[in-house]
Amino acid sequence: MGRVRSTTAFCVATLLAASLHGAVARAAPGHAPAPVGEGRTCTASPQSASGQAREILGIAERTMEELDDNAVLLSVTKDGEEIVTAGLGQSMTGVPATPAMHFRAGSVAIVYMGITLLQLVEEKKAGLDDPVSRWLPDAPHADEITLRMLGDSTSGLHDYVTDPEFVAALEAAPFRHWTPEQLLAYPEAHPLWYKPGTDWNYSHANFVLLGAALEKISGLPLDELLRQRVMGPLGLADTRNSFTPEIQPPVLHAFTEERGPYEESTFWNPSWTTAPGAVLTTGICDLVRSAEAVGTGELLSPAAFRTQLDPGTAGLGGGTKDCPASVCMKNTEAKHFGLGVLVLNGWILTNPSFSGYAAVQAYLPAERLAIAVATTHGAKAPAENTAQTLMNRIAKALAPGHAAPGTA
């Protein structure tokens, strides 16, 4: 089933990455293109594009045909300067895909929650190793689990997205609105996979709880908190939360065969994906700007950025008698989950994929290279994050001296 395989983004990464112990180069201030809402409309690069831009478009066109994607949106920058921005294929039959279209951002929101948590910790409003019970006394295992364990997914909580009962309920009613209480009932029905902090497994439940904790710590609704601390400072005017399945127009439409027949899934209710207030939609220009900012630690101090990239997950996982390796996956210095981000082959990224949408935002500090891709699936598309596949191919072409995230 595409959703269960692909939403846990770390599962599809069989990758080795360069060590992050060295200094990470920051993009020079003022080099990023002005985001939408600050004097720049997200439009395609000139059709006469040549050189690297033409090479990227050629890769995208071939990959889209090979993987049977309906649409591809992409934007690539180097040193904050645009190389190419484009929309290929169709949003719907007869409706061309354009870079101005909006789509669901999925796990990009957990990156923003991780950044916000680190900011609040630096302001002494909370401690990373505070027990969750300080903020959410009624949360499952609240005395055993810390804020750090929520952010780096070492709590031991089961992932409701892999629970057959949840999957059956979701597929039976894709327009259903889910509350945090309903979502958390699934992991609460299982014992912890391991003693919190001693192993690693991806769980959406961690980020449902983290969103609630951030509201308690800050005294603000999560949507306002993320707007003030992340989207606002970065000028991400096309990135916003919605408490309904609404997507601001123009919309990139999605289709999937997850329930059997190939059908439109654009407005399936995404309330199950993460914490209320962090169910984001975005645009491709915002996504590449986000890749640059996350990959350079723009919103964090150097110390907090180092923590984001490796909060202690390296060395965890690998499977035990109680937690199979397919769940408790191995984290290494080269390939690990940070505080809401993936660190793979020296790239800093996240790659949401669900309900017919796939995307990736990735940044390679060694080359100051940012790649953002969003795709929608055709009827014969493989059960994989096709945006990640395309991103890997672009990465190989533009940074041949560095392994792409999706290579061993």
Side-chain angles (χ1 to χ4, degrees):
M1 209 155 48
R3 174 175 48 249
V4 174
R5 285 195 296 267
S6 60
T7 48
T8 52
F10 195 73
C11 297
V12 300
T14 54
L15 321 162
L16 295 176
S19 173
L20 294 173
H21 289 311
V24 178
R26 291 173 179 259
H31 280 197
V36 172
E38 292 190 359
R40 180 174 189 259
T41 300
C42 191
T43 57
S45 303
Q47 292 303 310
S48 59
S50 59
Q52 283 189 324
R54 183 61 257 171
E55 181 181 14
I56 293 166
L57 291 175
I59 293 169
E61 289 162 354
R62 292 189 295 273
T63 302
M64 183 174 69
E65 181 177 2
E66 174 191 336
L67 301 181
D68 191 37
D69 279 329
N70 287 333
V72 170
L73 306 183
L74 64 86
S75 188
V76 181
T77 68
K78 170 91 170 179
D79 285 320
E81 297 291 339
E82 181 185 66
I83 297 175
V84 65
T85 298
L88 305 174
Q90 298 183 107
S91 172
M92 298 184 292
T93 303
V95 180
T98 72
M101 288 178 169
H102 304 105
F103 49 89
R104 301 206 184 278
S107 60
V108 173
I110 75 170
V111 182
Y112 298 169
M113 284 194 278
I115 289 170
T116 300
L117 173 60
L118 290 166
Q119 291 174 344
L120 292 168
V121 167
E122 289 219 307
E123 295 165 13
K124 310 298 184 185
K125 294 179 179 178
L128 268 184
D129 298 313
D130 285 349
V132 172
S133 58
R134 178 179 175 188
W135 309 105
L136 304 171
D138 297 325
H141 305 280
D143 289 328
E144 304 169 75
I145 296 170
T146 66
L147 296 174
R148 183 194 301 269
M149 295 170 194
L150 295 181
D152 66 15
S153 215
T154 58
S155 69
L157 290 168
H158 280 236
D159 188 1
Y160 56 82
V161 166
T162 63
D163 189 307
E165 291 188 11
F166 170 77
V167 173
L170 182 62
E171 291 196 338
F175 297 101
R176 171 182 173 177
H177 179 83
W178 292 83
T179 67
E181 293 75 19
Q182 290 168 337
L183 296 171
L184 293 172
Y186 290 95
E188 285 189 82
H190 299 278
L192 293 172
W193 280 116
Y194 46 82
K195 180 181 177 181
T198 64
D199 213 324
W200 185 92
N201 71 289
Y202 190 88
S203 176
H204 288 70
N206 292 319
F207 305 105
V208 173
L209 287 169
L210 181 58
L214 291 173
E215 290 190 331
K216 293 289 187 180
I217 294 165
S218 67
L220 290 172
L222 184 58
D223 60 322
E224 178 63 18
L225 182 65
L226 296 181
R227 189 190 67 77
Q228 287 187 13
R229 289 181 172 267
V230 181
M231 284 92 84
L234 297 181
L236 305 182
D238 267 8
T239 304
R240 63 192 71 179
N241 169 72
S242 179
F243 291 104
T244 74
E246 177 188 16
I247 303 176
Q248 68 270 29
V251 177
L252 181 68
H253 285 248
F255 304 82
T256 185
E257 75 300 327
E258 288 175 7
R259 302 196 312 156
Y262 184 66
E263 59 188 334
E264 176 152 9
S265 52
T266 308
F267 297 107
W268 285 2
N269 197 311
S271 54
W272 59 272
T273 56
T274 193
V279 182
L280 304 181
T281 56
T282 192
I284 201 67
C285 289
D286 273 15
L287 198 64
V288 78
R289 172 72 177 109
S290 174
E292 294 167 349
V294 172
T296 58
E298 184 174 329
L299 297 176
L300 296 171
S301 71
F305 188 38
R306 286 192 294 271
T307 298
Q308 182 188 30
L309 298 186
D310 190 359
T313 49
L316 298 179
T320 67
K321 66 181 180 65
D322 297 315
C323 187
S326 60
V327 174
C328 289
M329 289 170 285
K330 184 68 175 177
N331 282 244
T332 67
E333 287 288 336
K335 181 196 74 174
H336 61 268
F337 192 81
L339 206 79
V341 297
L342 290 163
V343 180
L344 307 171
N345 285 349
W347 294 79
I348 301 164
L349 71 148
T350 192
N351 52 359
S353 179
F354 61 97
S355 301
Y357 284 107
V360 61
Q361 65 167 50
Y363 188 81
L364 181 62
E367 297 290 335
R368 295 178 177 167
L369 176 65
I371 303 174
V373 178
T375 60
T376 57
H377 294 173
K380 298 179 181 178
E384 65 184 56
N385 184 321
T386 57
Q388 179 76 61
T389 303
L390 174 54
M391 181 264 153
N392 288 336
R393 295 176 182 183
I394 295 171
K396 288 178 183 178
L398 298 190
H402 303 271
T407 57

